[in-house]
Amino acid sequence: VLAIIPARGGSKSIPGKNIKMLGKKPLIGYTIEAAQRSKVTDIIVSTDSQEIINVVKKYNIDYILRRSATYSGDNIPVIPDVLNNVLENFQYTNNYDIVLVLEPTYPFRDEKTINTIIDKVSSTQSDWVVTISKNREHPHRTRKLLGDTIIPFIENVNVFSQRQDLPDAYMLRGAVYGAKIKNIQGKKNLNDMDWIGVIINEKQAIDIDEPIDFILAKGVLDYENK
């Protein structure tokens, strides 16, 4: 099992986000340590940042791959672009059966979740096994604006339905993506109709994207350490 941790240095919303201290360790440290406690065989950190390289070296990472500027922009998706670039340029790719993508912005995803994904990938022929969490804001209640008029995304649904009367809705989370390498290598078109979901709780689903997310994560740590 090969785990890829994609860690750009150019975050605009939170400068230096991936190595910003959260509690007593840099944000990326939570992901590295969870992977090291799991069934993962080897870990690659893919980055364009020397600062990130300096930080992750302290964790005895198996491999660090320098990412070119071509694959480091805001508009470059981790899957499939960065993933394929890593698999194509890593000389030992053929030594592995399974690849995981662990985004470093999920500090509370743990080794149990990583292992569950690995086990699901091993036992299924689906292209991807991914983490999902329940949506707080139900899609039946979401709206778009046309001028100043609100238009439902989903038509013919009673907006005043009680939450318990609505079907559960889930959001894709980048805490863990897992696949058999032979099933996805080189693929540019990802059809999520053949994906399998593993549900994670609200804490594990915290994704550090904006400053408010960092405040939330710090609040969780402070509460747990009381």
Side-chain angles (χ1 to χ4, degrees), residues 33-68:
E33 290 181 352
Q36 290 174 333
R37 292 191 301 263
S38 75
K39 297 178 182 178
V40 164
T41 311
D42 292 315
I43 301 170
I44 294 178
V45 171
S46 167
T47 184
D48 61 334
S49 166
Q50 185 61 48
E51 285 184 293
I52 292 176
I53 290 174
N54 293 341
V55 169
V56 301
K57 279 182 176 179
K58 301 172 185 177
Y59 287 88
N60 296 315
I61 290 296
D62 302 290
Y63 302 100
I64 299 171
L65 293 187
R66 274 278 192 180
R67 194 189 308 180
S68 69

Side-chain angles (χ1 to χ4, degrees), residues 88-218:
E88 289 167 3
N89 289 282
F90 181 51
Q91 60 180 320
Y92 303 117
T93 293
N94 291 335
N95 293 350
Y96 303 91
D97 303 301
I98 292 171
V99 63
L100 305 181
V101 177
L102 307 177
E103 295 190 11
T105 52
Y106 287 84
F108 301 122
R109 158 250 292 111
D110 59 21
E111 66 272 19
K112 181 179 178 182
T113 296
I114 295 173
N115 288 341
T116 298
I117 296 285
I118 293 170
D119 292 342
K120 290 279 189 183
V121 172
S122 297
S123 62
T124 182
Q125 290 306 310
S126 293
D127 284 349
W128 285 97
V129 180
V130 302
T131 44
I132 59 176
S133 69
K134 281 190 178 181
N135 261 7
R136 274 185 170 271
E137 303 301 329
H138 200 282
H140 283 182
R141 293 177 174 168
T142 58
R143 297 293 185 267
K144 52 190 172 183
L145 275 176
L146 184 60
D148 58 0
T149 302
I150 56 173
I151 308 295
F153 270 95
I154 302 175
E155 297 180 357
N156 302 319
V157 173
N158 180 6
V159 68
F160 297 110
S161 296
Q162 295 298 306
R163 188 173 185 86
Q164 61 267 26
D165 295 328
L166 296 173
D168 288 338
Y170 297 90
M171 180 75 178
L172 277 173
R173 298 294 178 187
V176 190
Y177 290 94
K180 291 186 175 75
I181 290 180
K182 66 180 181 181
N183 288 353
I184 56 94
Q185 196 167 12
K187 281 190 177 180
K188 299 294 184 183
N189 184 24
L190 300 178
N191 179 9
D192 64 358
M193 296 299 291
D194 189 38
W195 293 11
I196 286 177
V198 170
I199 301 171
I200 57 176
N201 61 32
E202 289 189 9
K203 176 185 172 184
Q204 290 200 56
I206 293 173
D207 177 17
I208 310 297
D209 187 38
E210 300 291 340
I212 189 68
D213 302 318
F214 224 104
I215 294 169
L216 174 60
K218 185 177 184 303

